[in-house]
Amino acid sequence: MAFAFAHARQPATPQPATPQPAALSDALPVPPAPEPSTSAAWLLMDYTTGQILAGENIDMRREPASITKVMTSYVIAAEMAAGKIKADDPVMMTENAWRQGGAGTDGSYSGFPVNQTAPLVQMEKGMVVQSGNDAAIALAEHVAGSEQAFAALMNAYAKRIGMRNSHFVNPHGLPAEGHYSTARDLALLGRALIRDFPEAYAYNKIKEFTVGPITQPNRNVLLWRDPSVDGIKTGHTSSAGYCLMASAKRGDQRLISVILGGSSEKQRASDSQALLNWGFRFHETHKLYDAGKQIAALKVWKGEGEQVALGVAQPLLVSLPRGRYQQLKPTMDVPKALVAPIAKGQEIGTVKVSLDGKVIAQRPLVALEAVEEGGFFARLWDEFWMWWESE
């Protein structure tokens, strides 16, 4: 535990477990993010905390193009985890999927033969690595019976993830009325896929995939340029522009970048690389409190015990500019008088962490133990002292 509170109701100075002198360069202000010059919307997110480190037009509705297939991957992984489909299911490349998304169309395709089956996991790799529209349609039909029914699943899972400004009408991302998302929502989607289904996410770092006589490369050129990059997905249509959602992990830190509406394949890659490099160079992630560990104690009136231990139910982490850790200020908002009984896990107050006067993270404080109501005379005595202190 990196931080400690001197008193339950007073802010305390952060106390690093192993203080290290800051590098001379860390004392300098963080330079502005390398803003993509031609993109309609973009952002950079810290994966661990979900904090947005930089961005512009992050809630603007945009066509996500083939980044849509990340949502398709999430639905497939979730349905598989629920036992509704299996990795070795035979998936038919129907005539509809072949005609709407196959080689005879303008978009990318996987090349699976029409009216033949392939194992679901192979069909999914054809969708993820080759960005096959035909594979996306075939998978949607297998999972839900039709593209329309599958889109309903996509929207239901998107809502569960927290994508508040997205709506999907197909599994592949070709232009369609009412099919949209945002940079923020797509970053949340990428974060959810990495967190919830790492095995499915791992398909995104496969550099090439072969179907029959055809071998196609992954369109994410960052996989070749930067060994820390392991995903996520490219997209392009004439109306959506050039899009790229990328993720990289260096040491214990992972970042997610989103570029929407770029001007070229080269531009979306170079802008994504610049954002990732900037994020890793100038930001770091710290765990401040472990889940279930005491960070403070608060007096309890009318209880069998005199105090209750407080902590957080989930780890509290923050992303911040490098060299600023010792400038973090933790505070707690707790009741002036806490009266038993108290249940284990009951929310008591809030712990907040600020930098430069701005709250950058907060979590509910919960009781780490139950405190039962005291006996009659104990409660009567505490009633007197509560009255006395209130005067």
Side-chain angles (χ1 to χ4, degrees):
M1 181 173 62
F3 280 11
F5 284 92
H7 188 279
R9 295 173 188 162
Q10 298 296 327
T13 302
Q15 298 175 5
T18 53
Q20 297 293 332
L24 193 59
S25 61
D26 286 340
L28 300 174
V30 174
E35 180 177 342
S37 57
T38 62
S39 298
W42 59 274
L43 69 70
L44 183 69
M45 174 185 284
D46 179 84
Y47 163 78
T48 304
T49 64
Q51 288 177 234
I52 295 174
L53 305 181
E56 185 175 12
N57 298 326
I58 63 175
D59 293 316
M60 175 190 290
R61 292 181 177 180
R62 296 284 307 175
E63 292 182 42
S66 278
I67 297 180
T68 297
K69 296 180 176 100
V70 180
M71 187 76 245
T72 302
S73 291
Y74 189 93
V75 173
I76 292 169
E79 293 293 286
M80 191 180 299
K84 298 178 181 179
I85 55 176
K86 297 179 180 179
D88 59 356
D89 279 357
V91 177
M92 175 68 71
M93 177 57 70
T94 64
E95 186 168 341
N96 175 65
W98 178 76
R99 288 188 180 279
Q100 298 299 320
T105 67
D106 247 353
S108 51
Y109 65 96
S110 65
F112 287 101
V114 64
N115 292 325
Q116 294 186 32
T117 64
L120 183 146
V121 68
Q122 295 298 104
M123 190 73 73
E124 186 175 3
K125 289 177 181 178
M127 177 189 71
V128 173
V129 182
Q130 300 171 324
S131 198
N133 296 324
D134 51 351
I137 297 171
L139 286 163
E141 291 175 339
H142 177 79
V143 172
S146 69
E147 289 186 78
Q148 292 76 18
F150 188 82
L153 280 179
M154 296 171 76
N155 290 318
Y157 278 110
K159 184 177 180 180
R160 184 177 299 178
I161 291 169
M163 302 171 67
R164 299 180 179 178
N165 208 9
S166 298
H167 186 260
F168 300 98
V169 300
N170 64 54
H172 42 69
L174 291 173
E177 185 176 354
H179 190 93
Y180 58 82
S181 190
T182 68
R184 185 201 300 269
D185 279 4
L186 292 175
L188 290 173
L189 171 60
R191 185 179 184 226
L193 182 63
I194 296 167
R195 179 193 64 222
D196 298 342
F197 306 111
E199 184 176 348
Y201 173 71
Y203 299 158
N204 292 274
K205 66 181 179 182
I206 298 174
K207 291 184 177 181
E208 62 179 30
F209 189 68
T210 300
V211 175
I214 302 174
T215 298
Q216 297 185 68
N218 194 313
R219 290 165 173 78
N220 184 0
V221 298
L222 293 184
L223 294 174
W224 283 266
R225 295 183 185 177
D226 184 343
S228 70
V229 172
D230 55 12
I232 305 177
K233 190 74 188 72
T234 62
H236 171 255
T237 65
S238 57
S239 53
Y242 289 85
C243 308
L244 174 57
M245 178 161 62
S247 184
K249 185 177 182 182
R250 300 180 188 175
D252 293 330
Q253 188 177 18
R254 177 182 287 279
L255 301 177
I256 297 171
S257 65
V258 179
I259 300 285
L260 299 177
S263 59
S264 68
E265 183 176 347
K266 180 180 179 181
Q267 178 266 334
R268 72 184 178 190
S270 60
D271 284 346
S272 298
Q273 183 75 79
L275 281 173
L276 292 171
N277 288 343
W278 174 84
F280 284 118
R281 167 59 186 85
F282 294 108
H283 294 81
E284 56 189 353
T285 302
H286 284 277
K287 180 189 289 185
L288 305 185
Y289 302 113
D290 287 314
K293 298 293 182 65
Q294 179 177 333
I295 61 176
L298 193 63
K299 179 174 177 56
V300 177
W301 298 97
K302 302 184 181 181
E304 289 186 350
E306 294 185 355
Q307 62 181 20
V308 63
L310 303 181
V312 289
Q314 301 294 330
L316 176 55
L317 302 99
V318 294
S319 298
L320 65 154
R322 289 193 182 276
R324 303 292 305 279
Y325 175 66
Q326 297 189 31
Q327 299 172 33
L328 293 175
K329 303 294 183 184
T331 56
M332 291 201 308
D333 292 332
V334 294
K336 292 183 178 179
L338 192 60
V339 180
I342 298 168
K344 182 178 180 179
Q346 178 179 329
E347 290 190 10
I348 302 298
T350 305
V351 58
K352 300 179 180 180
V353 181
S354 301
L355 182 65
D356 296 332
K358 178 182 178 183
V359 175
I360 61 172
Q362 63 181 39
R363 289 285 188 281
L365 279 168
V366 300
L368 301 180
E369 59 200 7
V371 180
E372 301 297 335
E373 190 176 54
F376 174 77
F377 289 106
R379 285 184 281 120
L380 186 63
W381 184 252
D382 277 0
E383 182 74 36
F384 169 76
W385 281 110
M386 289 177 68
W387 169 82
W388 183 269
E389 290 192 5
S390 67
E391 287 297 309

